[in-house]
Amino acid sequence: MQLYHHPFDLDSQKVRLALEEKGIDYTSFHANPITGKNLDSTLFQMNPSGSLPVFQNGSHIIYKTIDIIQYIERIAVVSAGSEDISSNRKEVIEWMQKIQEWNPKYFSLSHIPDKHLVYVSKFIRRVVIARMSESPELAGAYHRKLREAYQTDEKLKDPDVLRRSEEHLVRLLDEAERQLSETPYLAGEEFTMADVMLIPVLARLKLLDLENEYITGRPNIAEYWILVQQRPSYKKVIGKHFDGWRKHKTLFKTWCFVRIRSLLKRY
C-alpha cells in the first residue's frame, strides 16, 4: 500500500492519522503541494485534480478522504478478524461528512502574508505550465488546474468567500463544543474516525496561531485538544512536524526550496 501525501496537507493528515491508529503499514511518498510536487505527471495521472492524498493498493487507487479512511478501516477489520467498523456507525459517518464539508483552503490562505502568498501562487502557476509542456497528453487536466489557480487568487479577494468560510468553521466548532460537553470524544465514549477528521482542523488553527481565538474560548474543545495531542498517532503525524520550533523548520525548508527554484527558473 502506498500513500502520496504531505505533512502540510490537512486531508493527508486525516488519512495518516487513520493509518497510524489502525497500525497499518504503508509506503510513504511526500508530494509537497507548496512546491508543486503533487503536480508531477505520475501522480497527476492517478488523480487529475492534483489533490492530496492519493492512496494506492495494487491497481486500486482512491483519492477521496472519507473513502480512503473507510477503506483503511475495512482492511484493519479483516486483518483483526473482527466485524466492528466504527465508521459505519451513523453518528461517526455524520461527523466525518460534516467536517469534510468545510474546505480549509480559503480560510488558511487568507491568514498567510500577502507577499508570501503571491510569490508561491506565481511559482505554482509556473510549475503547472512546465508540467503541461512535459506531458502534453495531460494538457487538458493541467489547463483545468491552471484555471483553478487563477480562480483561487480571485476568490481570495472576495470578502464574502472568506466570511462564509470562517462562518462555516465557527458553526462546526460550536457543534463540536456542544457534543464534547456530553461525551469525551466526538462520536461517543471512544476515539473514532470522527476524531481523526477533527484533529487536523484543530492543528491547522494552531499552526496559523489562531488557537486562542478558536480553541481556548471553547472549554470542551480546549480540553479535548489537550487530550488528543497525547496520542502517539498525533505525535507522529502532526506533532513531529509542527509542534514548537519544528513548524519553523518545516516551513523554512519549503520556502527555501521555492526561492531557489524560482531564482534558477527550474520548475
Side-chain angles (χ1 to χ4, degrees), residues 238-252:
I238 299 174
K240 175 183 177 181
H241 300 283
F242 296 111
D243 280 357
W245 61 271
R246 293 180 182 88
K247 78 171 183 180
H248 301 292
K249 178 184 176 183
T250 303
L251 294 169
F252 182 72

Side-chain angles (χ1 to χ4, degrees), residues 220-237:
N220 296 308
I221 289 182
E223 184 178 347
Y224 168 87
W225 178 227
I226 292 170
L227 176 66
V228 296
Q229 286 181 88
Q230 306 310 310
R231 298 185 76 85
S233 62
Y234 170 87
K235 294 177 181 178
K236 184 171 183 179
V237 174

Side-chain angles (χ1 to χ4, degrees), residues 3 28 56 66 71 74 80 83 93 96 127 144 147 149 164 212 235-237 240:
L3 181 70
S28 169
Q56 183 175 19
I66 292 179
Y71 184 82
R74 288 195 294 273
E83 295 182 359
I93 293 174
M96 290 174 72
V127 170
R144 287 192 295 274
R147 187 163 57 248
R164 286 194 297 269
N212 288 338
K235 294 177 181 178
K236 184 171 183 179
V237 174
K240 175 183 177 181

Side-chain angles (χ1 to χ4, degrees), residues 193-213:
M193 293 299 102
D195 301 291
V196 157
M197 298 287 288
L198 181 61
I199 290 171
V201 174
L202 302 181
R204 175 59 54 88
L205 294 172
K206 180 180 179 180
L207 177 64
L208 295 171
D209 293 324
L210 298 171
E211 192 172 359
N212 288 338
E213 184 174 349

Side-chain angles (χ1 to χ4, degrees), residues 2 10 15 23 42 46 75 87 96-97 102 106 117 119 122 138 151 166 168 171 176 178 188 220 245-246 255 262-263:
Q2 300 173 329
L10 198 126
V15 170
T42 302
M46 292 191 223
I75 292 174
S87 63
M96 290 174 72
Q97 292 172 340
W102 180 64
Y106 300 115
L117 189 61
Y119 195 92
K122 288 181 179 178
L138 295 172
Q151 288 172 347
E166 182 181 18
H168 191 165
R171 287 196 302 272
R178 289 192 293 272
N220 296 308
W245 61 271
R246 293 180 182 88
W255 181 243
S262 295
L263 290 171

Side-chain angles (χ1 to χ4, degrees), residues 152-160 162:
T152 296
D153 290 346
E154 288 303 312
K155 286 183 178 181
L156 284 171
K157 299 173 185 176
D158 186 343
D160 287 337
L162 305 182

Side-chain angles (χ1 to χ4, degrees), residues 2-231:
Q2 300 173 329
L3 181 70
Y4 298 85
H5 68 98
H6 196 269
F8 287 139
D9 181 66
L10 198 126
D11 284 338
S12 293
Q13 292 173 356
K14 295 171 184 176
V15 170
R16 285 200 66 213
L17 284 170
L19 287 163
E20 295 300 330
E21 286 289 337
K22 297 300 177 181
I24 294 176
D25 292 331
Y26 62 98
T27 303
S28 169
F29 294 96
H30 276 200
N32 192 334
I34 298 178
T35 62
K37 288 298 182 182
N38 59 313
L39 301 174
D40 287 354
S41 60
T42 302
L43 192 53
F44 217 62
Q45 286 173 336
M46 292 191 223
N47 179 14
S49 73
S51 63
L52 295 173
V54 175
F55 183 83
Q56 183 175 19
N57 187 9
S59 60
H60 195 44
I61 297 172
I62 318 173
Y63 46 82
K64 291 185 178 179
T65 302
I66 292 179
D67 291 347
I68 298 174
I69 291 174
Q70 291 179 324
Y71 184 82
I72 289 167
E73 274 220 297
R74 288 195 294 273
I75 292 174
V77 165
V78 170
S79 300
S82 170
E83 295 182 359
D84 181 26
I85 302 180
S86 70
S87 63
N88 281 348
R89 287 168 41 201
K90 179 182 177 183
E91 59 270 33
V92 176
I93 293 174
E94 288 178 350
W95 271 112
M96 290 174 72
Q97 292 172 340
K98 283 177 189 175
I99 295 166
Q100 193 63 15
E101 284 170 1
W102 180 64
N103 185 343
K105 179 167 72 171
Y106 300 115
F107 179 85
S108 299
L109 292 177
S110 69
H111 288 87
I112 296 174
D114 285 344
K115 63 177 182 179
H116 298 320
L117 189 61
V118 170
Y119 195 92
V120 172
S121 178
K122 288 181 179 178
F123 178 82
I124 293 297
R125 292 199 295 270
R126 287 167 181 161
V127 170
V128 174
I129 293 168
R131 296 296 89 78
M132 194 187 308
S133 65
E134 293 169 0
S135 305
E137 71 279 8
L138 295 172
Y142 281 121
H143 268 297
R144 287 192 295 274
K145 196 65 182 176
L146 188 60
R147 187 163 57 248
E148 179 188 313
Y150 281 110
Q151 288 172 347
T152 296
D153 290 346
E154 288 303 312
K155 286 183 178 181
L156 284 171
K157 299 173 185 176
D158 186 343
D160 287 337
V161 170
L162 305 182
R163 175 182 53 78
R164 286 194 297 269
S165 180
E166 182 181 18
E167 288 175 351
H168 191 165
L169 172 63
V170 168
R171 287 196 302 272
L172 176 63
L173 293 175
D174 287 345
E175 189 170 353
E177 174 70 9
R178 289 192 293 272
Q179 179 60 44
L180 292 170
S181 70
E182 301 174 3
T183 56
Y185 294 105
L186 206 51
E189 298 298 319
E190 297 181 355
F191 187 93
T192 68
M193 293 299 102
D195 301 291
V196 157
M197 298 287 288
L198 181 61
I199 290 171
V201 174
L202 302 181
R204 175 59 54 88
L205 294 172
K206 180 180 179 180
L207 177 64
L208 295 171
D209 293 324
L210 298 171
E211 192 172 359
N212 288 338
E213 184 174 349
Y214 292 96
I215 297 177
T216 307
R218 294 176 171 86
N220 296 308
I221 289 182
E223 184 178 347
Y224 168 87
W225 178 227
I226 292 170
L227 176 66
V228 296
Q229 286 181 88
Q230 306 310 310
R231 298 185 76 85

